[in-house]
Amino acid sequence: GQNIDQPTEMTATEGAIVQINCTYQTSGFNGLFWYQQHAGEAPTFLSYNVLDGLEEKGRFSSFLSRSKGYSYLLLKELQMKDSASYLCAVRDSNYQLIWGAGTKLIIKP
Amino acid sequence: DAMVIQNPRYQVTQFGKPVTLSCSQTLNHNVMYWYQQKSSQAPKLLFHYYDKDFNNEADTPDNFQSRRPNTSFCFLDIRSPGLGDAAMYLCATSWQRGGVDTQYFGPGTRLTVL
């Protein structure tokens, strides 16, 4: 079967750095997406990785290792508004998007 | 601004009473998706339209139907809602002609079944 694993919940301090990991086992790979979802709202697109390495976008960076089936989302200079769930999704060989259940990130002052 | 719009944002219905949720987009994307998401769970794809072609997920109950009368609009019909159908329903769109087909989501409709 296809599977995306993310930690259920993480806690970090305002101003700090946090890394949210995602491991996947899918039938093929055609890209990995990270989305942010605030409580009661829709997911919003954060980043896309299809090649190995780090993609940086302001305070957020996303890393991919296809050989390890692994990605992480790195959030720097955390702000209270970063409190949200972060969803990892992988596009498989059939171009279907397989979603993780998300990591709930709690930011404390 | 180009966007995905869902109406209503909140819908309350009675057990067994049909309900229709709507989605419209100004992105001119060729693919539209309907997802069901329950609390602390991954979004679950119900079906999607690739242009006019309807694609139903194998485990989507027959109780759920969809219509896409034109490029901009898509509807989700729940014929006989049960208590287990209470969830957030998310509409998403993407442009799928090669390249990165990032999905963009509407704000969602939260369905309550009494």
Side-chain angles (χ1 to χ4, degrees):
Chain A
Q2 309 208 83
N3 197 47
I4 309 280
D5 286 315
Q6 306 179 235
T8 303
E9 187 175 297
M10 299 181 71
T11 303
T13 305
E14 190 177 16
I17 299 173
V18 71
Q19 178 175 310
I20 302 174
N21 295 325
C22 170
T23 57
Y24 61 89
Q25 301 88 37
T26 57
S27 53
F29 177 86
N30 280 296
L32 184 145
F33 297 82
W34 283 97
Y35 282 81
Q36 180 191 59
Q37 186 175 25
H38 285 100
E41 298 182 12
T44 55
F45 170 72
L46 287 178
S47 68
Y48 172 76
N49 294 72
V50 67
L51 300 176
D52 291 349
L54 190 68
E55 294 281 340
E56 296 187 77
K57 198 184 282 188
R59 293 189 299 115
F60 293 7
S61 303
S62 56
F63 172 84
L64 174 67
S65 169
R66 288 171 295 171
S67 62
K68 295 182 179 178
Y70 168 70
S71 173
Y72 67 72
L73 182 68
L74 191 71
L75 292 75
K76 303 177 185 176
E77 301 169 16
L78 285 170
Q79 303 174 9
M80 297 303 293
K81 66 178 182 180
D82 297 330
S83 292
S85 287
Y86 291 85
L87 297 141
C88 173
V90 173
R91 192 165 57 190
D92 68 10
S93 57
N94 293 319
Y95 283 79
Q96 297 296 308
L97 206 55
I98 312 301
W99 291 85
T103 298
K104 183 178 180 181
L105 178 64
I106 300 168
I107 310 295
K108 295 186 174 179
Chain B
D1 287 341
M3 56 176 57
V4 183
I5 302 162
Q6 289 188 246
N7 285 303
R9 294 291 310 277
Y10 300 91
Q11 175 75 57
V12 179
T13 191
Q14 292 180 335
F15 183 95
K17 185 174 181 181
V19 66
T20 295
L21 311 182
S22 73
C23 176
S24 63
Q25 54 131 341
T26 60
L27 297 162
N28 204 30
H29 283 170
N30 63 325
V31 189
M32 295 187 78
Y33 308 80
W34 278 106
Y35 286 90
Q36 179 193 67
Q37 188 180 29
K38 297 186 177 180
S39 182
S40 302
Q41 295 184 18
K44 178 181 182 299
L45 182 65
L46 296 173
F47 22 60
H48 72 280
Y49 279 91
Y50 186 106
D51 295 320
K52 295 181 180 180
D53 294 333
F54 176 70
N55 297 272
N56 197 30
E57 294 301 299
D59 57 354
T60 298
D62 292 340
N63 197 26
F64 292 85
Q65 304 285 318
S66 184
R67 297 169 282 138
R68 188 180 186 186
N70 53 51
T71 301
S72 302
F73 284 87
C74 197
F75 299 96
L76 170 62
D77 301 307
I78 308 177
R79 294 192 296 187
S80 182
L83 297 179
D85 297 328
M88 175 77 90
Y89 289 88
L90 297 165
C91 174
T93 72
S94 71
W95 178 252
Q96 208 172 93
R97 292 269 193 261
V100 182
D101 59 334
T102 302
Q103 294 185 20
Y104 295 93
F105 287 82
T109 295
R110 181 163 295 283
L111 178 67
T112 300
V113 182
L114 301 177

